[in-house]
């Protein structure tokens, strides 16, 4: 695996590869776990030259404390990626991604971005889209791989890429969505889980338990949400738990034929976790 820190070196490496191979890209913020590795595996299975980025994007954190406290484990991550036979690890500095002498357009997340995560984490989606767009401009991949765990993020990235391709601003590329990888107890793997104590880790499994309870409760949103909430103990401080349309993230009254997404965000101790489950659809 080649470790690259600068945009110019990455572009040089990829210019050569591009003539012969498709390029697959997996953007991450590091502190890698099996969820990230599943995206990488899928990218490799699709036959791509695989580029993984590790960049803790300051623009998408709502508080300085959350940004500072985000786990940074580059040495361990690099070893994991080497073992996974990744071709390139791109680990740039903030100045490399957003050089001061250049300006980068703000990207409006639109109405989908105002709901749920957008409401509880002001600025998060605008910051996320700005960095994803910039990274896609640097890597110019044929496909980029994202986790369904961050379902609203996937919806917004897909919306952004479609618009950019449609306007001719970006070459056609695919946004690939990969299923959520969970612990044996059902907890969605997340870099933030590293900050949970043993007891908190146990409580955190209630989030998935609630989604499953909701998924078995019928077709009406009211009964689904009620059953899901009933599965949560006081250790879980809920921010939202709703049944929504899988692409618009608008609240739905009942599960439509294509399915709906039950989404949850909650605090366990001082760690904020999100999860979701597609229910009633074919997936
Ligand atoms: P992050 O490093 O948290 O920004 O995540 C990088 C990518 O990995 C995003 O596309 C996430 O949705 C994805 N991801 C994070 N956790 C999981 C998981 N448990 N299963 C599958 N994908 C995940």
């Amino acid at each position: 695996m080649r470790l690259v820190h600068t945009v110019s070196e990455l572009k040089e490496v990829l210019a050569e590869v591009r003539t012969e191979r498709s390029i697959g890209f997996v953007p991450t913020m590091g502190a890698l776990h099996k969820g990230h590795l599943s995206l990488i595996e899928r990218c490799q299975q699709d036959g791509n030259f695989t580029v993984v980025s590790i960049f803790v994007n300051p623009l998408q954190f709502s508080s300085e404390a959350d940004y500072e406290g985000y786990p940074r484990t580059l040495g361990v991550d690099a070893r994991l990626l080497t073992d996974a036979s990744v071709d390139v690890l791109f680990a740039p500095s903030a100045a490399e991604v957003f050089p001061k002498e250049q300006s980068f357009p703000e990207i409006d997340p639109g109405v989908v971005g105002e709901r749920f995560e957008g409401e509880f984490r002001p600025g998060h989606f605008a910051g996320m889209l700005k960095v994803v767009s910039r990274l896609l401009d640097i890597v110019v991949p044929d496909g980029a791989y994202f986790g369904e765990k961050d379902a609203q993020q996937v919806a917004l990235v897909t919306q952004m890429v479609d618009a950019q391709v449609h306007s001719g601003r970006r070459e056609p590329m695919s946004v690939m969505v990969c299923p959520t990888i969970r612990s044996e107890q059902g907890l969605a793997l997340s870099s933030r889980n590293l900050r949970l104590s043993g007891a908190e880790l146990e409580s955190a499994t209630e989030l998935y338990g609630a989604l499953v309870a909701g998924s078995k409760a019928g077709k009406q949103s009211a009964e689904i949400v009620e059953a899901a909430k009933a599965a949560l103990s006081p250790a879980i401080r809920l921010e939202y738990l709703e049944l929504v349309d899988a692409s618009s993230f608008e609240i739905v009254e009942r599960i439509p034929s294509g399915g709906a997404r039950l989404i949850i965000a909650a605090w366990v101790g001082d760690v904020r976790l999100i999860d979701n489950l597609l229910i009633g659809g074919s997936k």
Side-chain angles (χ1 to χ4, degrees), residues 31 61 63-72 190-198 200-201 267-273:
F61 287 83
S63 85
E64 188 70 20
D66 194 23
Y67 173 65
E68 293 300 334
Y70 200 83
R72 288 165 174 82
S190 164
S191 308
R192 291 175 190 275
N193 296 353
L194 289 174
R195 289 171 43 204
L196 296 169
S197 69
E200 287 169 344
L201 264 175
W267 291 84
V268 180
D270 65 355
V271 181
R272 185 177 184 277
L273 299 173

Short mmCIF file of all heavy atoms in Angstrom, two decimals, residues 31 61 63-72 190-198 200-201 267-273:
data_model
loop_
_atom_site.label_atom_id
_atom_site.label_comp_id
_atom_site.label_asym_id
_atom_site.label_seq_id
_atom_site.Cartn_x
_atom_site.Cartn_y
_atom_site.Cartn_z
N ALA A 31 -10.01 5.79 12.39
CA ALA A 31 -10.44 4.92 13.50
C ALA A 31 -11.23 3.76 12.90
O ALA A 31 -12.38 3.51 13.23
CB ALA A 31 -11.25 5.68 14.54
N PHE A 61 -18.05 19.15 12.02
CA PHE A 61 -18.29 19.01 13.47
C PHE A 61 -18.96 20.28 13.98
O PHE A 61 -18.55 21.39 13.62
CB PHE A 61 -16.97 18.78 14.21
CG PHE A 61 -16.41 17.40 14.00
CD1 PHE A 61 -15.65 17.11 12.86
CD2 PHE A 61 -16.66 16.39 14.90
CE1 PHE A 61 -15.15 15.83 12.64
CE2 PHE A 61 -16.17 15.10 14.69
CZ PHE A 61 -15.40 14.83 13.56
N SER A 63 -19.16 21.09 17.20
CA SER A 63 -18.44 21.67 18.35
C SER A 63 -16.97 21.30 18.29
O SER A 63 -16.59 20.24 17.80
CB SER A 63 -19.05 21.17 19.67
OG SER A 63 -18.48 19.93 20.03
N GLU A 64 -16.15 22.23 18.81
CA GLU A 64 -14.71 22.05 18.85
C GLU A 64 -14.37 20.79 19.67
O GLU A 64 -13.49 20.01 19.28
CB GLU A 64 -14.09 23.30 19.52
CG GLU A 64 -12.58 23.39 19.51
CD GLU A 64 -12.00 23.66 18.10
OE1 GLU A 64 -12.77 24.14 17.24
OE2 GLU A 64 -10.82 23.35 17.88
N ALA A 65 -15.13 20.58 20.76
CA ALA A 65 -14.85 19.45 21.65
C ALA A 65 -15.06 18.13 20.92
O ALA A 65 -14.27 17.18 21.06
CB ALA A 65 -15.75 19.51 22.88
N ASP A 66 -16.12 18.05 20.10
CA ASP A 66 -16.40 16.81 19.37
C ASP A 66 -15.29 16.56 18.34
O ASP A 66 -14.83 15.43 18.18
CB ASP A 66 -17.77 16.94 18.67
CG ASP A 66 -18.29 15.59 18.18
OD1 ASP A 66 -17.87 14.55 18.71
OD2 ASP A 66 -19.12 15.58 17.23
N TYR A 67 -14.84 17.63 17.68
CA TYR A 67 -13.77 17.51 16.69
C TYR A 67 -12.46 17.06 17.36
O TYR A 67 -11.80 16.12 16.90
CB TYR A 67 -13.57 18.85 15.97
CG TYR A 67 -12.37 18.89 15.05
CD1 TYR A 67 -12.31 18.07 13.92
CD2 TYR A 67 -11.30 19.75 15.30
CE1 TYR A 67 -11.21 18.08 13.08
CE2 TYR A 67 -10.20 19.78 14.46
CZ TYR A 67 -10.15 18.95 13.36
OH TYR A 67 -9.06 18.96 12.53
N GLU A 68 -12.13 17.73 18.47
CA GLU A 68 -10.88 17.39 19.17
C GLU A 68 -10.94 15.96 19.72
O GLU A 68 -9.94 15.26 19.74
CB GLU A 68 -10.62 18.38 20.33
CG GLU A 68 -10.32 19.82 19.90
CD GLU A 68 -9.07 19.94 19.02
OE1 GLU A 68 -8.19 19.07 19.12
OE2 GLU A 68 -9.01 20.90 18.22
N GLY A 69 -12.12 15.57 20.21
CA GLY A 69 -12.26 14.26 20.86
C GLY A 69 -12.39 13.11 19.88
O GLY A 69 -12.41 11.94 20.28
N TYR A 70 -12.52 13.41 18.56
CA TYR A 70 -12.71 12.33 17.59
C TYR A 70 -11.45 11.46 17.56
O TYR A 70 -10.33 11.98 17.50
CB TYR A 70 -13.00 12.91 16.19
CG TYR A 70 -13.66 11.90 15.29
CD1 TYR A 70 -15.03 11.69 15.35
CD2 TYR A 70 -12.91 11.11 14.43
CE1 TYR A 70 -15.64 10.73 14.55
CE2 TYR A 70 -13.50 10.14 13.63
CZ TYR A 70 -14.88 9.97 13.71
OH TYR A 70 -15.48 9.00 12.93
N PRO A 71 -11.62 10.12 17.61
CA PRO A 71 -10.42 9.26 17.69
C PRO A 71 -9.53 9.36 16.45
O PRO A 71 -10.03 9.40 15.33
CB PRO A 71 -11.01 7.84 17.81
CG PRO A 71 -12.44 7.94 17.44
CD PRO A 71 -12.87 9.35 17.64
N ARG A 72 -8.24 9.46 16.68
CA ARG A 72 -7.27 9.51 15.59
C ARG A 72 -6.24 8.41 15.79
O ARG A 72 -5.50 8.44 16.77
CB ARG A 72 -6.60 10.89 15.53
CG ARG A 72 -7.54 12.00 15.03
CD ARG A 72 -6.98 13.36 15.32
NE ARG A 72 -7.75 14.45 14.75
CZ ARG A 72 -8.85 14.97 15.30
NH1 ARG A 72 -9.33 14.49 16.43
NH2 ARG A 72 -9.48 15.98 14.71
N SER A 190 -19.17 1.87 14.85
CA SER A 190 -18.92 3.29 14.65
C SER A 190 -17.63 3.66 15.38
O SER A 190 -17.34 3.10 16.45
CB SER A 190 -20.08 4.11 15.26
OG SER A 190 -19.69 5.46 15.40
N SER A 191 -16.89 4.58 14.79
CA SER A 191 -15.66 5.02 15.45
C SER A 191 -15.99 5.62 16.81
O SER A 191 -15.18 5.58 17.74
CB SER A 191 -14.96 6.06 14.58
OG SER A 191 -14.81 5.57 13.27
N ARG A 192 -17.18 6.19 16.94
CA ARG A 192 -17.57 6.81 18.20
C ARG A 192 -17.78 5.79 19.33
O ARG A 192 -17.75 6.15 20.51
CB ARG A 192 -18.86 7.62 18.02
CG ARG A 192 -18.65 8.85 17.17
CD ARG A 192 -19.96 9.56 16.90
NE ARG A 192 -19.78 10.59 15.90
CZ ARG A 192 -19.37 11.83 16.15
NH1 ARG A 192 -19.13 12.19 17.39
NH2 ARG A 192 -19.21 12.70 15.18
N ASN A 193 -17.99 4.51 18.96
CA ASN A 193 -18.18 3.48 19.99
C ASN A 193 -16.94 3.34 20.87
O ASN A 193 -17.04 2.88 22.01
CB ASN A 193 -18.49 2.11 19.35
CG ASN A 193 -19.80 2.11 18.60
OD1 ASN A 193 -20.56 3.08 18.66
ND2 ASN A 193 -20.07 1.04 17.87
N LEU A 194 -15.77 3.76 20.35
CA LEU A 194 -14.53 3.68 21.12
C LEU A 194 -14.62 4.51 22.39
O LEU A 194 -13.89 4.28 23.35
CB LEU A 194 -13.35 4.22 20.28
CG LEU A 194 -12.86 3.38 19.11
CD1 LEU A 194 -11.80 4.13 18.31
CD2 LEU A 194 -12.30 2.05 19.61
N ARG A 195 -15.51 5.51 22.38
CA ARG A 195 -15.61 6.40 23.55
C ARG A 195 -16.64 5.92 24.57
O ARG A 195 -16.88 6.57 25.58
CB ARG A 195 -15.94 7.82 23.08
CG ARG A 195 -14.73 8.46 22.38
CD ARG A 195 -15.05 9.76 21.71
NE ARG A 195 -15.90 10.63 22.50
CZ ARG A 195 -16.69 11.59 21.99
NH1 ARG A 195 -16.73 11.78 20.71
NH2 ARG A 195 -17.42 12.33 22.79
N LEU A 196 -17.27 4.76 24.32
CA LEU A 196 -18.28 4.24 25.25
C LEU A 196 -17.62 3.34 26.29
O LEU A 196 -16.74 2.54 25.95
CB LEU A 196 -19.33 3.43 24.49
CG LEU A 196 -20.20 4.18 23.48
CD1 LEU A 196 -20.98 3.19 22.61
CD2 LEU A 196 -21.15 5.13 24.19
N SER A 197 -18.06 3.45 27.55
CA SER A 197 -17.58 2.54 28.59
C SER A 197 -18.27 1.18 28.38
O SER A 197 -19.20 1.07 27.57
CB SER A 197 -17.96 3.08 29.97
OG SER A 197 -19.37 2.99 30.12
N GLY A 198 -17.85 0.17 29.15
CA GLY A 198 -18.45 -1.17 29.02
C GLY A 198 -19.96 -1.13 29.20
O GLY A 198 -20.72 -1.70 28.40
N GLU A 200 -21.93 1.45 28.98
CA GLU A 200 -22.56 2.26 27.92
C GLU A 200 -22.68 1.46 26.62
O GLU A 200 -23.66 1.58 25.89
CB GLU A 200 -21.74 3.54 27.68
CG GLU A 200 -21.90 4.55 28.80
CD GLU A 200 -20.90 5.70 28.70
OE1 GLU A 200 -19.89 5.58 27.96
OE2 GLU A 200 -21.12 6.70 29.40
N LEU A 201 -21.65 0.64 26.36
CA LEU A 201 -21.70 -0.20 25.15
C LEU A 201 -22.92 -1.11 25.18
O LEU A 201 -23.60 -1.30 24.17
CB LEU A 201 -20.44 -1.08 25.08
CG LEU A 201 -19.29 -0.57 24.24
CD1 LEU A 201 -18.09 -1.51 24.37
CD2 LEU A 201 -19.67 -0.44 22.76
N TRP A 267 -28.25 9.93 22.60
CA TRP A 267 -27.02 10.05 23.39
C TRP A 267 -26.94 8.89 24.36
O TRP A 267 -27.92 8.55 25.04
CB TRP A 267 -27.03 11.35 24.18
CG TRP A 267 -26.89 12.57 23.32
CD1 TRP A 267 -27.91 13.22 22.67
CD2 TRP A 267 -25.70 13.28 23.01
NE1 TRP A 267 -27.42 14.29 21.97
CE2 TRP A 267 -26.06 14.36 22.17
CE3 TRP A 267 -24.36 13.12 23.35
CZ2 TRP A 267 -25.12 15.26 21.66
CZ3 TRP A 267 -23.42 14.02 22.86
CH2 TRP A 267 -23.80 15.07 22.03
N VAL A 268 -25.74 8.30 24.44
CA VAL A 268 -25.45 7.31 25.48
C VAL A 268 -24.24 7.88 26.21
O VAL A 268 -23.17 8.00 25.61
CB VAL A 268 -25.13 5.93 24.86
CG1 VAL A 268 -24.84 4.91 25.95
CG2 VAL A 268 -26.28 5.46 23.98
N GLY A 269 -24.43 8.28 27.48
CA GLY A 269 -23.38 9.04 28.14
C GLY A 269 -23.16 10.31 27.34
O GLY A 269 -24.12 10.99 26.97
N ASP A 270 -21.90 10.62 27.01
CA ASP A 270 -21.68 11.84 26.21
C ASP A 270 -21.34 11.52 24.76
O ASP A 270 -20.68 12.29 24.07
CB ASP A 270 -20.61 12.74 26.88
CG ASP A 270 -19.25 12.06 26.89
OD1 ASP A 270 -19.17 10.87 26.49
OD2 ASP A 270 -18.27 12.71 27.29
N VAL A 271 -21.81 10.37 24.30
CA VAL A 271 -21.57 9.98 22.91
C VAL A 271 -22.90 9.95 22.15
O VAL A 271 -23.87 9.36 22.61
CB VAL A 271 -20.89 8.59 22.84
CG1 VAL A 271 -20.62 8.20 21.39
CG2 VAL A 271 -19.59 8.60 23.63
N ARG A 272 -22.90 10.61 21.01
CA ARG A 272 -24.12 10.66 20.20
C ARG A 272 -24.04 9.58 19.10
O ARG A 272 -23.07 9.52 18.37
CB ARG A 272 -24.26 12.04 19.56
CG ARG A 272 -25.55 12.23 18.79
CD ARG A 272 -25.64 13.66 18.26
NE ARG A 272 -26.90 13.89 17.59
CZ ARG A 272 -27.15 13.56 16.32
NH1 ARG A 272 -26.22 12.99 15.60
NH2 ARG A 272 -28.34 13.81 15.79
N LEU A 273 -25.06 8.75 19.04
CA LEU A 273 -25.07 7.64 18.09
C LEU A 273 -26.28 7.74 17.16
O LEU A 273 -27.34 8.23 17.58
CB LEU A 273 -25.13 6.30 18.84
CG LEU A 273 -23.98 6.00 19.79
CD1 LEU A 273 -24.26 4.73 20.59
CD2 LEU A 273 -22.65 5.87 19.05
#
